[in-house]
Amino acid sequence: MCSVQIGSSSWTAVSTKNIHVVAIRSGGTLFSWGLNSSGQLGDGTVINKSSPVQIGTDSWTQIFSGADHTAAIRSDGALFTWGQNYAGQLGDSTTIGKSSPVQIGTDSWTQVSVGNSYTAAIRSDGALFTWGLNYRDWE
Protein backbone atom coordinates (compact mmCIF):
# COMPACT_ATOMS: atom_id res chain seq x y z
CA MET A 1 0.00 0.00 0.00
CA CYS A 2 1.26 3.45 -0.89
CA SER A 3 0.28 6.68 0.84
CA VAL A 4 0.54 10.12 -0.72
CA GLN A 5 0.76 13.36 1.23
CA ILE A 6 -1.67 16.01 -0.01
CA GLY A 7 0.26 19.27 -0.18
CA SER A 8 2.58 20.51 2.52
CA SER A 9 -0.10 22.28 4.57
CA SER A 10 -1.58 21.28 7.89
CA TRP A 11 -5.19 20.03 7.75
CA THR A 12 -7.83 20.08 10.53
CA ALA A 13 -10.73 18.06 9.06
CA VAL A 14 -11.39 15.63 6.22
CA SER A 15 -14.41 13.71 4.97
CA THR A 16 -14.70 11.26 2.12
CA LYS A 17 -17.43 9.15 0.63
CA ASN A 18 -17.59 7.01 -2.52
CA ILE A 19 -16.18 9.46 -5.05
CA HIS A 20 -14.98 12.74 -3.57
CA VAL A 21 -12.99 14.27 -0.71
CA VAL A 22 -13.50 17.53 1.18
CA ALA A 23 -10.98 18.88 3.66
CA ILE A 24 -10.37 21.95 5.78
CA ARG A 25 -6.86 23.33 5.95
CA SER A 26 -5.49 25.05 9.06
CA GLY A 27 -6.97 28.53 9.03
CA GLY A 28 -10.36 27.24 7.86
CA THR A 29 -9.93 27.17 4.07
CA LEU A 30 -12.09 24.53 2.34
CA PHE A 31 -10.76 22.28 -0.45
CA SER A 32 -12.32 19.45 -2.45
CA TRP A 33 -11.31 16.96 -5.15
CA GLY A 34 -12.49 13.79 -6.89
CA LEU A 35 -15.45 13.03 -9.11
CA ASN A 36 -17.85 15.92 -9.59
CA SER A 37 -20.73 14.67 -11.76
CA SER A 38 -23.34 16.24 -9.43
CA GLY A 39 -21.42 19.36 -8.42
CA GLN A 40 -20.50 17.79 -5.08
CA LEU A 41 -17.08 19.47 -5.08
CA GLY A 42 -18.73 22.90 -4.74
CA ASP A 43 -16.51 24.74 -7.22
CA GLY A 44 -19.38 25.80 -9.49
CA THR A 45 -18.64 23.12 -12.10
CA VAL A 46 -19.33 19.45 -12.80
CA ILE A 47 -15.73 18.81 -13.87
CA ASN A 48 -13.74 16.14 -12.01
CA LYS A 49 -10.62 17.36 -10.15
CA SER A 50 -7.60 15.17 -9.41
CA SER A 51 -6.00 17.77 -7.10
CA PRO A 52 -7.45 19.84 -4.25
CA VAL A 53 -9.39 22.92 -5.40
CA GLN A 54 -10.11 25.78 -3.00
CA ILE A 55 -13.82 26.46 -2.49
CA GLY A 56 -14.38 30.17 -1.91
CA THR A 57 -12.54 32.26 0.66
CA ASP A 58 -14.70 31.69 3.77
CA SER A 59 -13.46 30.03 6.94
CA TRP A 60 -15.06 26.66 7.76
CA THR A 61 -15.20 24.56 10.92
CA GLN A 62 -16.92 21.34 9.82
CA ILE A 63 -17.48 19.38 6.61
CA PHE A 64 -19.17 16.13 5.68
CA SER A 65 -19.35 14.41 2.30
CA GLY A 66 -22.10 12.08 1.15
CA ALA A 67 -22.28 9.97 -1.98
CA ASP A 68 -23.18 12.89 -4.26
CA HIS A 69 -23.63 15.89 -1.97
CA THR A 70 -21.67 17.79 0.65
CA ALA A 71 -22.49 19.87 3.74
CA ALA A 72 -20.32 22.30 5.67
CA ILE A 73 -20.59 24.68 8.60
CA ARG A 74 -18.90 28.05 8.22
CA SER A 75 -17.02 29.57 11.17
CA ASP A 76 -20.01 31.83 11.93
CA GLY A 77 -22.31 28.78 12.30
CA ALA A 78 -24.03 29.12 8.91
CA LEU A 79 -24.87 25.79 7.22
CA PHE A 80 -24.21 25.25 3.51
CA THR A 81 -24.94 22.30 1.20
CA TRP A 82 -24.24 21.50 -2.46
CA GLY A 83 -24.35 18.65 -5.01
CA GLN A 84 -27.11 16.20 -5.96
CA ASN A 85 -30.58 17.09 -4.69
CA TYR A 86 -33.12 14.68 -6.25
CA ALA A 87 -34.57 13.81 -2.82
CA GLY A 88 -34.27 17.24 -1.22
CA GLN A 89 -31.06 16.25 0.59
CA LEU A 90 -29.66 19.78 0.27
CA GLY A 91 -32.44 21.19 2.45
CA ASP A 92 -33.11 24.28 0.32
CA SER A 93 -36.78 23.36 -0.36
CA THR A 94 -36.01 22.30 -3.95
CA THR A 95 -34.94 19.15 -5.76
CA ILE A 96 -32.52 21.00 -8.04
CA GLY A 97 -28.83 20.16 -7.68
CA LYS A 98 -26.33 22.92 -6.87
CA SER A 99 -22.67 23.02 -7.89
CA SER A 100 -21.79 25.83 -5.47
CA PRO A 101 -22.45 26.10 -1.71
CA VAL A 102 -26.00 27.28 -0.85
CA GLN A 103 -26.80 28.59 2.63
CA ILE A 104 -29.58 26.68 4.40
CA GLY A 105 -31.73 29.10 6.36
CA THR A 106 -30.37 31.75 8.69
CA ASP A 107 -29.93 29.66 11.84
CA SER A 108 -26.64 28.86 13.52
CA TRP A 109 -25.58 25.18 13.46
CA THR A 110 -23.08 23.14 15.49
CA GLN A 111 -22.96 19.80 13.72
CA VAL A 112 -23.86 18.25 10.36
CA SER A 113 -23.81 14.71 8.98
CA VAL A 114 -24.60 13.47 5.49
CA GLY A 115 -25.84 10.11 4.22
CA ASN A 116 -26.35 8.90 0.66
CA SER A 117 -29.53 10.93 0.02
CA TYR A 118 -30.23 12.71 3.28
CA THR A 119 -28.72 15.21 5.72
CA ALA A 120 -28.99 15.69 9.48
CA ALA A 121 -27.88 18.74 11.45
CA ILE A 122 -27.96 20.06 14.99
CA ARG A 123 -28.92 23.70 15.44
CA SER A 124 -27.08 25.79 18.05
CA ASP A 125 -30.05 25.48 20.44
CA GLY A 126 -29.66 21.67 20.37
CA ALA A 127 -32.63 20.95 18.06
CA LEU A 128 -32.02 18.09 15.60
CA PHE A 129 -33.25 18.32 11.99
CA THR A 130 -33.19 15.85 9.09
CA TRP A 131 -34.16 16.19 5.44
CA GLY A 132 -33.91 14.26 2.19
CA LEU A 133 -34.83 10.66 1.31
CA ASN A 134 -37.21 9.04 3.81
CA TYR A 135 -38.11 5.74 2.23
CA ARG A 136 -38.46 3.67 5.42
CA ASP A 137 -40.64 4.13 8.44
CA TRP A 138 -38.67 2.76 11.37
CA GLU A 139 -40.68 2.12 14.52
Side-chain angles (χ1 to χ4, degrees):
M1 209 186 282
C2 178
S3 60
V4 175
Q5 183 174 337
I6 305 301
S8 59
S9 299
S10 177
W11 301 86
T12 61
V14 65
S15 181
T16 182
K17 189 66 174 182
N18 303 337
I19 56 177
H20 75 291
V21 179
V22 290
I24 299 173
R25 191 163 37 182
S26 294
T29 311
L30 178 64
F31 287 82
S32 63
W33 61 98
L35 296 182
N36 194 28
S37 58
S38 299
Q40 62 266 41
L41 297 185
D43 67 346
T45 76
V46 290
I47 300 169
N48 300 338
K49 304 294 187 308
S50 59
S51 309
V53 174
Q54 184 173 333
I55 307 305
T57 58
D58 290 327
S59 179
W60 303 87
T61 60
Q62 190 180 112
I63 43 94
F64 209 105
S65 60
D68 293 317
H69 77 293
T70 305
I73 297 176
R74 200 169 56 190
S75 60
D76 64 359
L79 175 64
F80 289 78
T81 59
W82 57 94
Q84 182 61 261
N85 195 28
Y86 66 89
Q89 60 263 48
L90 296 186
D92 66 349
S93 299
T94 76
T95 54
I96 299 167
K98 309 294 186 304
S99 61
S100 296
V102 174
Q103 186 170 347
I104 305 306
T106 58
D107 293 319
S108 181
W109 302 86
T110 60
Q111 189 171 356
V112 65
S113 185
V114 173
N116 286 338
S117 302
Y118 55 91
T119 303
I122 298 175
R123 199 169 55 193
S124 60
D125 65 0
L128 174 64
F129 293 84
T130 63
W131 54 89
L133 190 61
N134 184 20
Y135 67 95
R136 291 193 177 143
D137 182 20
W138 301 99
E139 294 187 31

